[in-house]
Amino acid sequence: MDEGSATHMNLAYDWSGDLLDLDAYLERIGYHGERAPTLDALRGLQRAHVTSIPFENLDPVLGVPVLLDLASVQGKLVRGGRGGYCFEHVTLFAAALERLGFRFTAMSGRVTLGSPKILPATHALLAVTAADDERLWLCDVGFGCGPLEPIELADGTEAEFDGWGFRLERRPGAQGFDDWWLHQRRDNGWLDRHTFTLNPQYPIDYVVGSHYVSTHPRSPFVQRPFVQQFSADRHHRLDATTWTTFRPDGSYTERKIAPDDLGRVLAEDFGITVSAEDLARLRDGLDRT
């Protein structure tokens, strides 16, 4: 293989960690721990990321293209006062892990939430190895409601973080590719959240998946605002005008917001800043739902 071909092949695996403004990212998520590829750092980075950068799909609702080049992602999620959905979160987190020296595999999952149907693989997540620990860890930073920390990627693993419970299960799959299932504990038992395989994905695969969920007319992400903000003690979810707050013990409260309150709720409770023009368009859409 000549030098040009080798360079081209390497770019397919590149998550642009060298282009990340690491100081700005770590300041954005409020992480002040060690900058080394250790398990403690991985735990701290995931907890800081998932509790600082919200989940939101406002650009697809507005018809604005979702770009996954690192400059665009960090311009929006790090500097722009915005959140994003899983492909944006994982692109940013992967760049940080690459920059810090972690080894990882990007993967795609299928969101299930109890559905018997086979849905498209449109969820992004990572399997990560730390330099001081030989185990494989699932880092799911883009779902909008945790986990707060990585979960050991092993059959039967159960993990609890500040009262939020999770369980991993491996099931035999076709052609030797086992299916992994992530379950989340709810007040009435375990709910299967998504399934995935360890088949590696690359940046271009996320571009394809992101294009589908952000543009296809049947994608729920283009139909209404869906926003989440997560912390150790509560999970806020805004689905159109329905605002639900979940607690680790399974309890929850639900309320309706008026379209005129959308800007205040996004800014004060979800940490998202949108322009006056975009806010007006979002409110108009809520009035028609």
Side-chain angles (χ1 to χ4, degrees), residues 74-284:
Q74 67 179 345
K76 179 181 175 183
L77 275 65
V78 175
R79 303 189 180 97
R82 292 285 303 277
Y85 58 29
C86 64
F87 293 112
E88 297 168 281
H89 278 273
V90 172
T91 294
L92 180 61
F93 197 69
L97 295 186
E98 185 179 75
R99 178 72 169 272
L100 293 170
F102 287 94
R103 292 183 293 114
F104 59 88
T105 298
M107 305 176 296
S108 288
R110 301 177 191 274
V111 176
T112 54
L113 296 177
S115 172
K117 298 188 298 184
I118 296 179
L119 299 173
T122 56
H123 180 54
L125 57 168
L126 300 171
V128 185
T129 303
D132 61 344
D133 189 287
E134 63 183 13
R135 291 170 292 179
L136 195 60
W137 296 88
L138 176 68
C139 289
D140 189 6
V141 299
F143 203 78
C145 54
L148 284 165
E149 296 181 12
I151 300 173
E152 183 183 357
L153 194 48
D155 187 25
T157 295
E158 290 193 15
E160 183 171 309
F161 310 107
D162 295 68
W164 304 98
F166 299 88
R167 184 181 72 195
L168 274 169
E169 177 188 3
R170 182 172 60 192
R171 302 177 186 174
Q175 307 299 321
F177 286 94
D178 288 347
D179 293 320
W180 289 85
W181 293 74
L182 179 65
H183 304 263
Q184 185 165 357
R185 190 174 61 222
R186 297 297 176 92
D187 59 343
N188 59 349
W190 294 99
L191 174 68
D192 53 285
R193 199 166 92 167
H194 50 258
T195 179
F196 59 93
T197 70
L198 301 185
N199 184 40
Q201 301 290 288
Y202 306 106
I204 189 61
D205 298 314
Y206 283 178
V207 170
V208 173
S210 178
H211 177 71
Y212 171 81
V213 298
S214 65
T215 64
H216 196 282
R218 294 181 61 184
S219 169
F221 279 8
V222 307
Q223 297 170 8
R224 66 192 189 281
F226 188 76
V227 184
Q228 301 182 88
Q229 211 285 330
F230 186 65
S231 69
D233 63 353
R234 51 102 185 98
H235 164 218
H236 287 310
R237 184 183 72 191
L238 183 66
D239 187 347
T241 59
T242 301
W243 179 8
T244 308
T245 300
F246 301 90
R247 301 288 181 181
D249 64 2
S251 64
Y252 66 93
T253 58
E254 187 174 287
R255 75 213 84 169
K256 288 285 189 177
I257 69 166
D260 286 345
D261 289 333
L262 179 62
R264 177 186 58 79
V265 170
L266 287 177
E268 296 179 6
D269 297 286
F270 291 87
I272 295 172
T273 303
V274 295
S275 68
E277 178 183 356
D278 287 344
L279 182 59
R281 293 174 59 200
L282 291 168
R283 284 197 303 252
D284 289 344

